Structures are given as structure tokens and as C-alpha cells.
Amino acid sequence: MKAESSALRVTASEVNGLLARHFAEEFDQDRMEALRRQFEDEHIVPLRQLCPPELFGPIKDEACAIMDRHGVSHDLVFEITDNTPRSMTTVGQPVIKDEGPLIDAFYFAPELIEFVGRVVGEKVHSCPYAGEHYVISRLVKSGDTHGWHWDDFTYGIILVLEAPHYTDGGFVQAVPNTAWDKENPDVYGALLSSQVRSYALEPGDAYVVKTNTTMHRVHPIRGEGRRTIVNMTLASAEDLTKPMTHETNDALFGGVRDTRSAS
């Protein structure tokens, strides 16, 4: 993208207006209807060039600088998701809240909330658990992956800042219409019961996924590829009425604890 220069200056107060203009220019009624239909069918949909060009460079610079300063590496497996791996570097919400005003403004932008609601077909809300508002993750060495998993809240929107060519992995895979039984997780059963779909993303793209019933992962990267994203959680109205737990998020991203103490 041409607008990646760090010389560009964007303030948090400008983010919502930039999104409003970009959405009006690039996402007309026909395109929005196509996105809604694809999401209804697949429970995940790529949003090509969602991020306005003039915002992409500054938000990428902000996220990558935070990652370089505070990233914590993990190489874990989670029994709660059938022992799938998490080999990745992460930064949690408290650090981003302090040092990432553009990311914070992007997540809370009314234009983004309204846009995602139109895609998924219902009103969405910022996550009631602050630790899941937004996190940054990076896959940087061969074999790094965010393995098969589900999430507690209904929706995720992921902004792609860096991504390898699909031949080096790092693409998204999703299995819709599956269920997460935390007491007896069955990843292989989910793989056998539903179609696996794969999506290659480029920097500036985003994707929305129905994360609580769509098992998903990032395919392991290989070679010199690098993938950096901002993962943001949004809640349905139903989510706001039931208790939630945050086991995997807290282990990987620190929850609402200040992760700088771990780095």
C-alpha cells in the first residue's frame, strides 16, 4: 500500500471520520450485501482493504512499535482446545490502552461498530471484558501458529498489518457450525463434521468471524514470513446476558493484568 509512510500524521480524534469517509467511498450497498451474504453462509468473511490507506501506515507503525517494545513469546498447548498449539508473540490490552491511541480509537469507533453490525446482521457491542478489547499478535519464525480454537464472545474482527504470501503460510482457516465443549473439546471431530475454508489476507485487509461457533486457526508460517495482526473482540446482545470465562485469552495476553511486568 502506498500510504505506509510513518511520516503520515493521524490523531485518534480523526480515526472515526477517516473510517466514515472510507466506508462511504469503498463499501456501497451492493458490496455490503455481498459481504453480509458471505458471512451468513460461511460465518467468516474477508474485508478487503478495510483500513483506509491514510490510517494504515500510522496504525501499523503504532502496533509494530508496541510489539517490538513489549512482545512476550509463547510456545504453549491448551488442553481446553484439545491440546492445540499457540506459538506466537503477543501484547495484551493494558499496554495497548496506554501506548496505542490509534488502535483504541479504531476499536471504539462508532463507524466500525455499525459497519460490523451490518456485516453480521445484528447490533454488536464493545466487549464487556476489557482484556479482550484488542490484542496484538505476531507469528515470526517458521512453525509459529495460532492453533485451532474457538472464542468465548460471538464476534472477532482482525486487522492484518503484516502477512506473508500464502505459500509461506499465515492464512486463516475456519470450520463453521461447530461447538466448543470446554470439558471435552474435539478438534478432530469438528474437522470431520464440517468443511474447512481457507482465506489469504493482505496487509490492510481485515476479517470478521463468528468466533464462538467457528473453529479457526492461522496456518503455521514457514520460511521468513511474518504475520502481525490486531485482534478485536465484539459482543452480541446475548453475550451481554451470560457469564464468560477467559482462560486462553488471559494465558496468552495477560487479561487485564499489565503485561509489561512479564516482559
Side-chain angles (χ1 to χ4, degrees):
M1 299 180 66
K2 293 181 178 180
E4 289 190 25
S5 171
S6 59
L8 293 173
R9 303 297 182 190
V10 175
T11 64
S13 64
E14 297 175 281
V15 169
N16 194 60
L18 290 172
L19 291 174
R21 185 170 69 239
H22 183 66
F23 293 163
E25 292 173 352
E26 301 297 331
F27 293 86
D28 62 17
Q29 183 174 346
D30 289 343
R31 186 177 179 189
M32 291 301 298
E33 179 60 23
L35 292 173
R36 188 197 63 77
R37 288 197 304 268
Q38 184 175 358
F39 184 83
E40 185 176 40
D41 290 342
E42 302 174 22
H43 292 186
I44 180 173
V45 61
L47 307 171
R48 305 296 181 186
Q49 299 302 302
L50 178 83
C51 192
E54 60 270 42
L55 177 59
F56 177 74
I59 208 168
K60 176 186 172 184
D61 288 349
E62 179 178 273
C64 288
I66 292 170
M67 174 61 73
D68 291 343
R69 289 193 296 270
H70 302 294
V72 178
S73 295
H74 303 275
D75 191 4
L76 306 170
V77 296
F78 284 96
E79 183 178 356
I80 200 171
T81 58
D82 204 2
N83 294 303
T84 53
R86 308 292 189 276
S87 298
M88 56 203 299
T89 305
T90 67
V91 178
Q93 182 269 347
V95 175
I96 303 167
K97 182 69 175 179
D98 287 348
E99 302 188 17
L102 296 180
I103 296 170
D104 183 77
F106 188 92
Y107 174 76
F108 285 106
E111 289 288 337
L112 182 70
I113 298 290
E114 192 271 340
F115 180 94
V116 174
R118 290 173 63 194
V119 170
V120 304
E122 68 169 316
K123 186 175 181 179
V124 299
H125 309 266
S126 58
C127 184
Y129 179 59
E132 296 204 37
H133 284 166
Y134 37 66
V135 296
I136 305 170
S137 69
R138 173 175 284 171
L139 310 182
V140 70
K141 65 182 186 298
S142 187
D144 275 3
T145 181
H146 194 164
W148 290 113
H149 65 286
W150 298 263
D151 297 316
D152 291 293
F153 291 92
T154 301
Y155 299 115
I157 177 167
I158 295 85
L159 178 62
V160 179
L161 303 177
E162 299 178 304
H165 189 268
Y166 76 87
T167 55
D168 288 323
F171 52 87
V172 177
Q173 297 185 288
V175 185
N177 302 308
T178 55
W180 184 15
D181 180 351
K182 292 185 178 183
E183 299 300 320
N184 186 31
D186 186 6
V187 165
Y188 290 166
L191 290 170
L192 291 170
S193 68
S194 186
Q195 180 179 0
V196 179
R197 298 181 182 271
S198 300
Y199 306 83
L201 286 301
E202 297 183 356
D205 292 347
Y207 56 100
V208 172
V209 56
K210 192 172 187 290
T211 54
N212 63 337
T213 60
T214 304
M215 191 177 74
H216 52 288
R217 75 163 182 171
V218 180
H219 193 280
I221 63 169
R222 64 182 182 182
E224 301 299 318
R226 187 164 91 167
R227 181 184 192 267
T228 305
I229 59 96
V230 179
N231 187 98
M232 295 162 281
T233 298
L234 295 170
S236 66
E238 183 181 0
D239 290 338
L240 303 180
T241 68
K242 57 186 182 182
M244 295 284 189
T245 57
H246 319 282
E247 297 94 336
T248 58
N249 175 272
D250 288 359
L252 282 171
F253 302 103
V256 294
R257 179 180 60 84
D258 192 333
T259 55
R260 282 173 293 192
S261 63
S263 63

